[in-house]
C-alpha cells in the first residue's frame, strides 16, 4: 500500500465517524468537550454554524451520527448491547443550558444588490437565508403559514418539540434581516421568476402524503385521514380529539408521531399495522421504542386488503398475513402465508404510508425539467436545476429525508447561489480544508481529558406517563441535567484528536505496540490492502475505515494502524521515547458561501481560489 496521504481532507475526517456520518458535518467531539466543560453557549454556537437548529435537532434528529459512533464498536465486551454516545441529547443540553446568544449571531454586511427568493420556510430555505443574508444578499422567504419552520412546525408533535424552541431558532435567522412573507403561498413559478430575483431556491418540502386505494376507501373517506395532513391539523389546533379505536398504517416516523398523538387525543385502542417486519420499519429505532413504551402495539407482516364498512360507517380493516422471503441476491419479497385474513375493528384510520413531492405550482413549460418520479433534474452537488437561476433543496430536491439532510442541502445550495450570482461555475467549488494542531502540554500531558470512561449510556428522564399522555403539548423527554450531561460527554472518545505518526523519528522499538489497549498498531512488511488487513495484530475487519500506513521505515517495514477501534487515548504517544507519535486535534473547515469559495479573476483568467 502507498503511504497514507495525510493532506487529503477526507482521511482524518473519516476517522471522526460521527462527523463523517452527519450530512452537515457538525464537529461533534468538539462541542461535546465544551459541554463537558460547562461551556454550553460555545457548544451551541459551534452547532449553530453547521446544523443551524441545535434545539430542534437535539430533540428530533434522525441521528445518523450515533450508529457511526466508535463507542458502540469498542464496547463490545462492556455489555450485551453496546450503545453510542448520546450525541443528539447532548446537543439538546447545549441548547437548553446556553446563555443568551443573540449577541453572538453574525454581523450583516452592507446590501450587495442581489435578491434571492426562497419558496417555503422550512429548514433548507432557512439555512440558505442564514448563509446568504450575512453576506449582504436580500433574501425573501415565502410561506403559506403564519410562522416559519415548515414541516418542523406542522409535522412534529409538540410533545416531542415545543413550539417555543421552533420560535427561538427560526427567529435567530429571521432577525438577521430576512424578508419573511408569511401566509403568502407561491402558486406560480413563472410569476415568481418574472419578479426579477437573481436566484430562486425551492425548499417547499414533500407536501403530499400517499393515499391507499383499496376497496372501501371512498365509501368511508370521512373516517380516513392522510397522516401528514392530520398531524398539521393537530399542530395548529384544528383537531383536538379522535375516536376511541384507531389504526395507523405505515412504518415510518410519521406513523409513530400519528399513533402517539392519537393516544394523547383520546384514542384508547391505538395500534400500528405495517406490511414489513418490525426490524425493517423505516422509523428510527428510538421512535419505535417510544411508541411501544407508551403501550401502542406494532403489528407487522400485515398487508391491508380492504376497509370494511356498513351503511357508510367504518367497521374496521381486513389484512392479509404475509412473510418475508429472500432470493439468492438477498432481495426481499412479501408472500402470503396462507393464513386466514385478519380483521381489526376501528373507527378511524390514519394513513402514513409515505410522502411524495408535488409541484403543481411549477409550470411544466417554464424550463425546469422533472424526472419520471416527478423530482426536479438537478446537479448532484450543486442543486441547480435546468433553469440555471433556480435551485432546489431539502425534501423538494431528492425526495423525503430528514431535517439535518435539508440543512446540508441548504448549505450547499447557498454556495451554488453565491457562485452563480457572481458569474462563476457552480461546479467549481473548493474542497473542505483541514488543520491539525498538537495537543501536547508537557511530556505526558494533553490539552484534553484522555481517560476512557467505562460508563454505559445514560438514560434520559421522561415526564410521568399520567401527565405526558394526558396533554399533547407536554414534552415527554426532559433532557439531561448538568451532572448527567457531564458524565455522558465523558463517554466521547475524542475521535477528532488524531494519532499522527512521524516515521523519521521512529526507532521501531514496539513500545506503542505493547501499550496499545486495542492492538491497533502493527509493524509489518507492506503488501496489498486485502492481505495487509489479515496480518495485523488484530485483523482490521471494517473495510469502510481506511488503514493508516506509514512510509518505509529503516528496517524496510511499515507502521500500519487500524483506525476502526482506536480509543484515541494517547498511550502510544505517551509511551513513545522519541515522540514519533503525537496527538493532534483535527479541524474540518467545510466549504461555505462567500468570497472564500470564489475564484479570483484577472483579465478573464481564473488564477486561484481565494
Amino acid at each position: 500500500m502507498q503511504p497514507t496521504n495525510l493532506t487529503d481532507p477526507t482521511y482524518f475526517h473519516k476517522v471522526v465517524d460521527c462527523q463523517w456520518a452527519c450530512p452537515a458535518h457538525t464537529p461533534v467531539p468538539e462541542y461535546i468537550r465544551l459541554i463537558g466543560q460547562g461551556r454550553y453557549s460555545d457548544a451551541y454556537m459551534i452547532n449553530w454554524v453547521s446544523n443551524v437548529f441545535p434545539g430542534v435537532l437535539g430533540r428530533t434528529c434522525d441521528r445518523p451520527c450515533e450508529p457511526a459512533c466508535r463507542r458502540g464498536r469498542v464496547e463490545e465486551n462492556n455489555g450485551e448491547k453496546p450503545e453510542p454516545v448520546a450525541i443528539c441529547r447532548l446537543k439538546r443540553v447545549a441548547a437548553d443550558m446556553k446563555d443568551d446568544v443573540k449577541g453572538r449571531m453574525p454581523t450583516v454586511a452592507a446590501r450587495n444588490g442581489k435578491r434571492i427568493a426562497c419558496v417555503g420556510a422550512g429548514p433548507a430555505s432557512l439555512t440558505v437565508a442564514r448563509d446568504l443574508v450575512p453576506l449582504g444578499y436580500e433574501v425573501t422567504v415565502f410561506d403559506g403559514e403564519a410562522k416559519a419552520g415548515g414541516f418542523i412546525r406542522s409535522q412534529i408533535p409538540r410533545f416531542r418539540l415545543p413550539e417555543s424552541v421552533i420560535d427561538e431558532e427560526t427567529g435567530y435567522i429571521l432577525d438577521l434581516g430576512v424578508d419573511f412573507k408569511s401566509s403568502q403561498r407561491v402558486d406560480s413559478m413563472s410569476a415568481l421568476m418574472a419578479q426579477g430575483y437573481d436566484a430562486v431556491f425551492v425548499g417547499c418540502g414533500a407536501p403530499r402524503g400517499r393515499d391507499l386505494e383499496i376497496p372501501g376507501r371512498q365509501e368511508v373517506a370521512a373516517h380516513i385521514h392522510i397522516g401528514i395532513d392530520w398531524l398539521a391539523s393537530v399542530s395548529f389546533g384544528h383537531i383536538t380529539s379522535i375516536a376511541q379505536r384507531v389504526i395507523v398504517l405505515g412504518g415510518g416516523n410519521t406513523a409513530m408521531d400519528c399513533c402517539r398523538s392519537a393516544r394523547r387525543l383520546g384514542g384508547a385502542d391505538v395500534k400500528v399495522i405495517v406490511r414489513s417486519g418490525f426490524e425493517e420499519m423505516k422509523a428510527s429505532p428510538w421512535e419505535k421504542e417510544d411508541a411501544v413504551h407508551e403501550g401502542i402495539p406494532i403489528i407487522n407482516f400485515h398487508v391491508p386488503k380492504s376497509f370494511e364498512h356498513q351503511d357508510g360507517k367504518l367497521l374496521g380493516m381486513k389484512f392479509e398475513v404475509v412473510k418475508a422471503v429472500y432470493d439468492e441476491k438477498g432481495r426481499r419479497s412479501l408472500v402470503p402465508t396462507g393464513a386466514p385474513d385478519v380483521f381489526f375493528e376501528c373507527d378511524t384510520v390514519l394513513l402514513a404510508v409515505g410522502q411524495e413531492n408535488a409541484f403543481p405550482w411549477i409550470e411544466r413549460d417554464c424550463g425546469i425539467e422533472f424526472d419520471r418520479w416527478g423530482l426536479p433534474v438537478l446537479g448532484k452537488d450543486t442543486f441547480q436545476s435546468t433553469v440555471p437561476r433556480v435551485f432546489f433543496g431539502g425534501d423538494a430536491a431528492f425526495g423525503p429525508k430528514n431535517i439535518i439532510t435539508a440543512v446540508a442541502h441548504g448549505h450547499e445550495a447557498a454556495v451554488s447561489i453565491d457562485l452563480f450570482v457572481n458569474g462563476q461555475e457552480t461546479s467549481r467549488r473548493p474542497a473542505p480544508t483541514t488543520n491539525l494542531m498538537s495537543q501536547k502540554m508537557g511530556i505526558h500531558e494533553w490539552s484534553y481529558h484522555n481517560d476512557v470512561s467505562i460508563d454505559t449510556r445514560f438514560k434520559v428522564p421522561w415526564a410521568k406517563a399520567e401527565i405526558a399522555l394526558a396533554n399533547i403539548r407536554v414534552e415527554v423527554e426532559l433532557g439531561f441535567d448538568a451532572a448527567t450531561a457531564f458524565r455522558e460527554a465523558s463517554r466521547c472518545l475524542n475521535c477528532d484528536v488524531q494519532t499522527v505518526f512521524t516515521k523519521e523519528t521512529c526507532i521501531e522499538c514496539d513500545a506503542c505496540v505493547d501499550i496499545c489497549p486495542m492492538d491497533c498498531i502493527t509493524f509489518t512488511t507492506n503488501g496489498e490492502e486485502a492481505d495487509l488487513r489479515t496480518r495485523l495484530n488484530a485483523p482490521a475487519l471494517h473495510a469502510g475505515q481506511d488503514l493508516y500506513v506509514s512510509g518505509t521505515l529503516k528496517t524496510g517495514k511499515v507502521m500500519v494502524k487500524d483506525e476502526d477501534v482506536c480509543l484515541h487515548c494517547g498511550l502510544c504517544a505517551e509511551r513513545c521515547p522519541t515522540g514519533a507519535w503525537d496527538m493532534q486535534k483535527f479541524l474540518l473547515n467545510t466549504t461555505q458561501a462567500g468570497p472564500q469559495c470564489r475564484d479570483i479573476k484577472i483579465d478573464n483568467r481564473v488564477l486561484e481560489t481565494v
Side-chain angles (χ1 to χ4, degrees):
M1 292 184 66
Q2 295 298 313
T4 298
N5 179 12
L6 301 185
T7 64
D8 181 356
T10 63
Y11 177 74
F12 282 131
H13 187 192
K14 286 178 69 176
V15 175
V16 192
D17 298 82
C18 50
Q19 186 176 16
W20 179 259
C22 175
H25 303 309
T26 304
V28 175
E30 177 73 2
Y31 78 73
I32 288 180
R33 274 193 301 273
L34 292 172
I35 290 170
Q37 298 166 21
R39 296 168 58 185
Y40 306 118
S41 296
D42 292 337
Y44 182 87
M45 291 309 299
I46 285 177
N47 271 274
W48 190 82
V49 168
S50 57
N51 67 38
V52 185
F53 304 99
V56 171
L57 287 165
R59 292 164 166 84
T60 64
C61 190
D62 272 7
R63 313 179 196 177
C65 54
E66 293 192 11
C69 177
R70 190 183 312 274
R71 187 87 199 194
R73 301 200 294 277
V74 303
E75 273 196 4
E76 59 183 11
N77 296 319
N78 194 21
E80 292 183 4
K81 185 181 179 183
E83 291 190 282
V85 175
I87 299 170
C88 181
R89 284 157 176 163
L90 287 173
K91 192 190 312 292
R92 173 179 171 174
V93 168
D96 288 355
M97 298 188 182
K98 70 183 185 307
D99 299 318
D100 186 352
V101 296
K102 291 181 181 178
R104 303 178 65 164
M105 293 295 148
T107 56
V108 177
R111 288 289 172 87
N112 60 19
K114 304 296 185 181
R115 300 169 59 238
I116 312 299
C118 293
V119 181
S125 289
L126 291 178
T127 300
V128 170
R130 171 250 176 275
D131 287 359
L132 295 183
V133 169
L135 300 176
Y137 288 93
E138 181 182 342
V139 178
T140 302
V141 176
F142 297 89
D143 196 271
E145 302 298 338
K147 289 186 174 183
F151 278 16
I152 291 177
R153 191 178 295 275
S154 65
Q155 302 303 312
I156 302 175
R158 296 291 81 86
F159 60 82
R160 290 181 58 205
L161 178 61
E163 191 165 21
S164 59
V165 177
I166 308 173
D167 291 341
E168 177 189 358
E169 297 198 322
T170 58
Y172 289 146
I173 298 170
L174 299 182
D175 290 346
L176 293 174
V178 175
D179 183 12
F180 179 43
K181 302 292 187 183
S182 62
S183 303
Q184 294 191 32
R185 192 176 302 278
V186 175
D187 56 13
S188 170
M189 173 61 83
S190 296
L192 184 63
M193 291 193 295
Q195 295 180 34
Y197 288 100
D198 296 282
V200 174
F201 176 79
V202 180
C204 59
R208 185 167 61 194
R210 290 199 179 103
D211 207 336
L212 183 64
E213 294 297 341
I214 57 175
R217 171 67 178 91
Q218 300 306 318
E219 289 82 350
V220 289
H223 304 282
I224 301 170
H225 307 281
I226 303 296
I228 62 171
D229 297 336
W230 183 81
L231 285 172
S233 295
V234 172
S235 178
F236 295 126
H238 305 316
I239 291 178
T240 57
S241 63
I242 198 168
Q244 290 284 300
R245 301 175 300 176
V246 182
I247 287 177
V248 178
L249 297 179
N253 287 340
T254 298
M256 300 302 101
D257 286 341
C258 283
C259 70
R260 296 179 69 195
S261 296
R263 182 80 170 79
R264 286 161 169 78
L265 292 181
D269 176 13
V270 180
K271 57 176 65 74
V272 176
I273 304 180
V274 60
R275 63 170 57 228
S276 67
F278 182 85
E279 297 299 328
E280 298 168 318
M281 291 170 59
K282 292 182 179 179
S284 304
W286 48 90
E287 299 286 355
K288 294 187 288 186
E289 290 170 8
D290 290 349
V292 172
H293 177 78
E294 293 180 352
I296 300 170
I298 298 177
I299 301 167
N300 60 354
F301 289 128
H302 280 59
V303 175
K305 289 188 68 175
S306 63
F307 296 99
E308 300 297 310
H309 56 92
Q310 183 176 359
D311 300 327
K313 179 182 178 181
L314 176 64
L315 302 177
M317 289 193 68
K318 186 179 292 186
F319 295 85
E320 181 179 43
V321 182
V322 297
K323 63 181 179 180
V325 175
Y326 297 87
D327 63 17
E328 63 279 0
K329 294 183 178 180
R331 293 175 298 195
R332 188 202 69 169
S333 59
L334 297 175
V335 299
T337 62
D341 290 344
V342 177
F343 174 77
F344 291 104
E345 295 181 339
C346 67
D347 307 304
T348 298
V349 176
L350 302 178
L351 299 179
V353 293
Q355 293 170 227
E356 55 193 8
N357 293 73
F359 302 103
W361 56 278
I362 300 181
E363 296 85 353
R364 291 309 187 258
D365 61 355
C366 72
I368 298 174
E369 295 181 11
F370 292 85
D371 62 21
R372 60 194 178 105
W373 295 282
L375 295 171
V377 176
L378 305 175
K380 180 181 178 183
D381 299 316
T382 66
F383 297 90
Q384 189 173 31
S385 75
T386 50
V387 173
R389 65 184 172 119
V390 178
F391 301 79
F392 288 71
D395 292 354
F398 302 118
K401 294 291 183 183
N402 49 49
I403 299 170
I404 191 62
T405 299
V407 168
H409 288 184
H411 286 309
E412 293 297 330
V415 172
S416 296
I417 291 170
D418 180 67
L419 289 170
F420 172 77
V421 299
N422 283 282
Q424 301 191 8
E425 291 291 331
T426 57
S427 58
R428 281 183 57 89
R429 52 218 292 145
T433 60
T434 60
N435 186 32
L436 289 167
M437 180 179 295
S438 177
Q439 300 303 290
K440 185 168 286 189
M441 301 291 286
I443 296 177
H444 298 307
E445 295 177 297
W446 310 104
S447 65
Y448 74 103
H449 185 62
N450 69 329
D451 187 26
V452 179
S453 167
I454 62 172
D455 284 335
T456 55
R457 181 172 167 131
F458 289 89
K459 304 297 183 184
V460 69
W462 277 39
K464 292 182 179 180
E466 59 269 24
I467 298 174
L469 294 178
N471 189 334
I472 198 167
R473 294 188 176 272
V474 170
E475 189 171 12
V476 175
E477 288 197 5
L478 303 180
F480 289 139
D481 59 21
T484 308
F486 170 79
R487 295 193 66 184
E488 183 63 36
S490 298
R491 297 182 66 238
C492 178
L493 296 175
N494 299 292
C495 294
D496 61 337
V497 182
Q498 308 285 353
T499 51
V500 179
F501 180 76
T502 304
K503 73 181 184 70
E504 287 76 13
T505 53
C506 177
I507 59 174
E508 301 181 65
C509 65
D510 278 1
C512 56
V513 176
D514 293 340
I515 202 169
C516 178
M518 302 301 287
D519 293 327
C520 292
I521 303 168
T522 305
F523 289 85
T524 185
T525 55
N526 209 336
E528 295 298 324
E529 181 176 354
D531 168 61
L532 201 55
R533 284 182 176 273
T534 66
R535 291 194 282 110
L536 305 183
N537 290 331
L541 304 178
H542 184 194
Q545 186 73 71
D546 297 338
L547 296 177
Y548 187 173
V549 181
S550 75
T552 303
L553 300 166
K554 295 181 181 65
T555 62
K557 295 181 179 181
V558 293
M559 185 286 302
V560 184
K561 177 172 179 283
D562 177 14
E563 301 278 17
D564 185 40
V565 291
C566 175
L567 299 176
H568 296 250
C569 60
L571 289 176
C572 54
E574 291 182 9
R575 181 68 180 83
C576 180
T578 65
W581 287 102
D582 191 17
M583 304 304 293
Q584 298 184 13
K585 186 166 75 171
F586 164 84
L587 175 66
L588 179 77
N589 297 306
T590 57
T591 306
Q592 296 184 345
Q596 293 82 1
C597 76
R598 304 178 204 147
D599 294 324
I600 296 176
K601 289 187 177 182
I602 298 178
D603 298 329
N604 294 320
R605 292 179 294 119
V606 174
L607 296 185
E608 61 183 27
T609 298
V610 177

